[in-house]
Amino acid sequence: MPEVIFNGPAGRLEGRYQPSKEKSAPIAIILHPHPQFGGTMNNQIVYQLFYMFQKRGFTTLRFNFRGIGRSQGEFDHGAGELSDAASALDWVQSLHPDSKSCWVAGYSFGAWIGMQLLMRRPEIEGFMSIAPQPNIYDFSFLAPCPSSGLIIHGDGDKVAPEKDVQGLVDKLKTQKGILITHKTVPGANHFFNGQVETLMGECEDYLDRRLEGELVPEPAAKRIR
């Protein structure tokens, strides 16, 4: 997979990019965990998500937020990282103007950034939030959440307790026009130690079902562009 450097709001950003052979293939952006707690684009879960989308014909990008690896800039508590993610999507779209749809998948801190990106970009039609932390980050901007997606976490997660994630899921499930799929991985902690395979199995199953036209509300709500 080609190493890439592209311009972000705080300087250059480093990524790994795999274009699809199909011009109109959907785009997938993968967002890594917290930069100040060892999160990088080479995190095992981020890498596996990248490979999962790539294998299914998506044009796929994962990248390091500002200040990580060869990405320039400094940690910005979420605001700058959201701008990084928007720039990353802009960059991929500039190379793939025929691509009309996009997915975003984020893990931990990356799940919070991904959900904010979802609110800004109407072309994002699906999301995966892995181990989101509504006990630490404010998710109230999801009003309403514009796309159907998967929220998945471990029931042994001490970083983002199950009751807090359940609260977020319950809130989103009251919204009309979208379908939130909620999964828990039994015994898994925040890092899915020893459970990454189970996690990825759930993510793959969800993506495959979505690509087959399942797990969306009927009839699908028309999105205003």
Side-chain angles (χ1 to χ4, degrees):
M1 71 200 68
E3 292 186 27
V4 290
I5 298 284
F6 55 92
N7 289 327
R12 294 190 302 276
L13 293 171
E14 172 192 20
R16 299 290 182 275
Y17 156 73
Q18 192 67 53
S20 171
K21 294 184 176 70
E22 296 294 324
K23 274 186 157 186
S24 61
I27 290 165
I29 302 270
I30 322 296
L31 303 175
H32 70 70
H34 203 295
Q36 294 192 311
F37 297 100
T40 78
M41 67 173 173
N42 294 323
N43 171 278
Q44 189 191 5
I45 291 170
V46 171
Y47 175 81
Q48 297 271 9
L49 289 165
F50 179 95
Y51 184 65
M52 173 187 77
F53 280 104
Q54 180 200 331
K55 216 162 59 173
R56 285 158 179 79
F58 283 69
T59 286
T60 313
L61 175 72
R62 69 186 203 269
F63 70 95
N64 279 328
F65 287 124
R66 56 185 61 199
I68 295 298
R70 292 161 64 205
S71 290
Q72 295 177 323
E74 293 177 5
F75 178 66
D76 193 36
H77 305 281
E81 287 74 19
L82 174 56
S83 297
D84 293 345
S87 292
L89 183 50
D90 288 342
W91 179 77
V92 182
Q93 287 176 331
S94 72
L95 298 176
H96 299 271
D98 294 328
S99 180
K100 297 292 177 267
S101 70
C102 175
W103 279 64
V104 62
Y107 169 33
S108 192
F109 173 83
W112 180 53
I113 301 297
M115 296 301 273
Q116 293 178 76
L117 187 65
L118 177 74
M119 291 299 292
R120 292 182 165 207
R121 306 295 283 257
E123 67 272 29
I124 297 178
E125 63 178 24
F127 71 85
M128 291 186 184
S129 271
I130 293 152
Q133 297 166 272
N135 54 317
I136 296 173
Y137 302 116
D138 182 7
F139 280 83
S140 62
F141 56 82
L142 291 167
C145 176
S147 298
S148 297
L150 171 70
I151 295 177
I152 183 166
H153 60 107
D155 67 5
D157 192 332
K158 302 279 193 291
V159 178
E162 192 172 13
K163 67 175 175 57
D164 294 292
V165 180
Q166 187 66 56
L168 173 63
V169 169
D170 291 345
K171 186 181 160 198
L172 296 181
K173 280 192 166 180
T174 64
Q175 296 181 13
K176 291 183 170 60
I178 60 165
L179 187 65
I180 301 298
T181 301
H182 178 214
K183 297 280 184 179
T184 53
V185 179
N189 62 17
H190 193 65
F191 308 99
F192 296 91
N193 296 123
Q195 301 270 26
V196 172
E197 210 170 295
T198 308
L199 168 70
M200 291 311 303
E202 291 282 9
C203 291
E204 288 170 6
D205 178 65
Y206 178 78
L207 182 57
D208 288 340
R209 290 179 69 186
R210 278 291 300 271
L211 294 175
E212 286 162 13
E214 298 177 39
L215 300 175
V216 288
E218 294 291 342
K222 290 248 187 315
R223 303 252 328 254
I224 299 166
R225 290 197 173 270

